[in-house]
Amino acid sequence: MTSQPSPPAPSAPKSPVDALDCRILLLLLQQPGIGVLGASRRLGVARGTVQARLDRLQARGVLRSMAPDVDPAALGYPVTAFCTLEIRQGRGGHSPVVDHLAAIPEVLEAHTITGSGDVLIRIVGRDNADLQRVIDQVVDDTHVTRASTVISLATRLDHRVVPLVEHLLADS
């Protein structure tokens, strides 16, 4: 009986960024005000190279924005909650609900999910009474059939990507 050689293990998909891209991203994440010229000096590459890399990262959707990171609590919205929405299934899919949610300024994010709900949203309020007002607005849509809300008591690990970029850099 002859044994067949094992097929090669599948390789991980190639990253859309290389080591220089990672170094640029890390620098901008750690020092957002450094600018293109400062980044080029710090990294020891031409300003045009940094700008071309940033343009390419934006075109590919890796770098979504150069906008500042604004804290809702510092704007007067210290209460954060997450709502799982169940929506009426039918024509139009999630679009009518997403359109409704987009019109509510206190809805910061919306994600289609698996599990017991259909959409997970992150909302903010000035206090618990204001949060109730926001929740009432969220459920005031014929497509939303049920909402379950949990209030965040403290953020233990904020949205982050630096460790992910560092991991990519170490792998490159």
Side-chain angles (χ1 to χ4, degrees), residues 5-60:
S6 300
S11 61
K14 187 174 180 337
S15 174
V17 296
D18 64 14
L20 180 57
D21 291 334
C22 288
R23 290 174 53 216
I24 291 169
L25 289 170
L26 283 173
L27 187 58
L28 291 175
L29 287 165
Q30 293 165 345
Q31 298 178 30
I34 194 165
V36 174
L37 183 59
S40 70
R41 287 179 178 158
R42 177 69 58 86
L43 296 170
V45 297
R47 186 201 62 76
T49 299
V50 172
Q51 186 63 60
R53 293 292 185 113
L54 289 174
D55 292 344
R56 191 181 79 216
L57 290 168
Q58 284 182 310
R60 289 183 176 173

Side-chain angles (χ1 to χ4, degrees), residues 49-126:
T49 299
V50 172
Q51 186 63 60
R53 293 292 185 113
L54 289 174
D55 292 344
R56 191 181 79 216
L57 290 168
Q58 284 182 310
R60 289 183 176 173
V62 173
L63 186 59
R64 294 189 292 190
S65 172
M66 299 296 275
D69 186 14
V70 179
D71 182 4
L75 292 176
Y77 293 87
V79 181
T80 298
F82 297 89
C83 295
T84 302
L85 306 178
E86 293 178 21
I87 63 172
R88 186 175 324 285
Q89 305 299 316
R91 300 178 84 182
H94 291 77
S95 296
V97 174
V98 173
D99 292 344
H100 169 70
L101 296 172
I104 303 170
E106 295 88 353
V107 175
L108 303 183
E109 297 178 49
H111 303 268
T112 301
I113 60 171
T114 61
S116 61
D118 300 304
V119 178
L120 177 69
I121 62 173
R122 181 166 66 111
I123 61 176
V124 293
R126 294 185 182 278

Side-chain angles (χ1 to χ4, degrees), residues 127-149:
D127 54 32
N128 285 355
D130 189 48
L131 189 66
Q132 181 63 59
R133 177 192 59 79
V134 175
I135 294 167
D136 290 344
Q137 278 188 279
V138 166
V139 299
D140 188 25
D141 183 277
T142 58
H143 297 92
V144 177
T145 60
R146 181 174 170 79
S148 175
T149 304

